[in-house]
Amino acid sequence: SVDEGRDHLWEKSRTAWHYVYTHYRHQYDWFLKADDDTFVVMENLRYVASHFNPNEDHFLGRKFVPYGSYASGGAGYMISHSALQKIGPFLTATEGCGSILLADGYVSEDVQFAKCMRILNVSVDNTRDGYKHRFHPFHPRVHLILTDDEGIKLFRASYTENHTVFGPDCCSDLAISFHNITALEMRQLFLFTYYINPYGYFERR
């Protein structure tokens, strides 16, 4: 068992990934990790995944550049069957990831997972739609409305390696995920995503 709390997220994530590897690695092509407050449009996720070969090593998500680069855990990230085959046994190997911290004491699970992947020569793939992102680490209102919050300013300045836009052009129309969503907001986003379309709008092919 693993203790609760943010200080144990890496151990929880490592244990969960190893369980998936042990019990499900032969059953699926792709494996998604997302928080319980992450809203995911599965159709868009499948569409993006269809452009990658699951029998090759792929790591899909919102790429952040600090700590050697990693995929945002809040936005959710997904790995291919081939990548899981590599990292599964490595997660418990004493000479591999094991239970050690690989980022100088920084315990964020997404940073640790990416470091394990880089040791295996698997890095975060480009999942952008042009310059627009598909995986979003914040609530939609944060991406749509430019704020003066210092944390957001830091994010804009140092976390994303490519052009980051806030406002109406922030997000691909094939956006995959948003983070920090309440239970009620999950229902609202589901309604707006699947039940409402403006008259005359034609889906992009």
Side-chain angles (χ1 to χ4, degrees):
S1 64
V2 180
D3 292 335
E4 290 295 327
R6 292 190 61 83
D7 288 344
H8 303 285
L9 283 179
W10 166 233
E11 184 65 13
K12 291 170 69 175
S13 178
R14 186 181 68 85
T15 303
W17 275 115
H18 189 259
Y19 183 88
V20 169
Y21 167 76
T22 301
H23 296 281
Y24 297 104
R25 68 181 184 274
H26 297 305
Q27 298 185 34
Y28 302 100
D29 291 332
W30 295 95
F31 301 86
L32 171 71
K33 178 269 173 190
D35 293 348
D36 58 5
D37 62 347
T38 302
F39 181 83
V40 179
V41 183
M42 294 303 297
E43 294 83 355
N44 293 349
L45 182 65
R46 292 190 188 100
Y47 170 76
V48 171
S50 71
H51 292 79
F52 298 88
N53 185 347
N55 295 315
E56 298 174 352
D57 298 333
H58 290 293
F59 184 10
L60 310 182
R62 177 63 172 265
K63 185 177 182 179
F64 285 164
V65 296
Y67 308 105
S69 82
Y70 66 102
S72 165
Y77 54 81
M78 186 165 71
I79 64 174
S80 63
H81 174 265
S82 177
L84 181 65
Q85 293 279 65
K86 273 191 174 181
I87 198 169
F90 193 64
L91 287 170
T92 54
T94 55
E95 70 276 13
C97 285
S99 61
I100 62 173
L101 298 178
L102 301 171
D104 301 322
Y106 186 65
V107 297
S108 175
E109 62 85 17
D110 46 10
V111 171
Q112 301 299 327
F113 187 81
K115 282 190 170 284
C116 291
M117 294 288 271
R118 284 202 307 280
I119 292 171
L120 298 170
N121 296 314
V122 183
S123 57
V124 184
D125 288 279
N126 175 20
T127 57
R128 297 188 311 279
D129 183 3
Y131 67 85
K132 297 180 180 181
H133 289 277
R134 291 188 169 105
F135 290 85
H136 301 286
F138 301 123
H139 192 283
R141 65 173 171 266
V142 175
H143 292 282
L144 291 169
I145 304 172
L146 181 62
T147 73
D148 292 327
D149 181 88
E150 290 302 318
I152 303 303
K153 288 182 179 179
L154 174 64
F155 164 78
R156 295 184 73 223
S158 63
Y159 265 64
T160 302
E161 66 176 347
N162 295 286
H163 189 53
T164 301
V165 173
F166 282 70
D169 288 331
C170 70
C171 314
S172 167
D173 61 344
L174 294 175
I176 290 171
S177 65
F178 292 95
H179 188 216
N180 297 324
I181 309 299
T182 68
L184 175 59
E185 290 168 337
M186 289 279 184
R187 294 175 178 269
Q188 293 170 336
L189 284 174
F190 184 87
L191 171 69
F192 294 139
T193 300
Y194 293 103
Y195 287 93
I196 297 177
N197 278 306
Y199 177 77
Y201 174 83
F202 293 96
E203 179 182 2
R204 181 172 64 170
R205 299 296 181 183

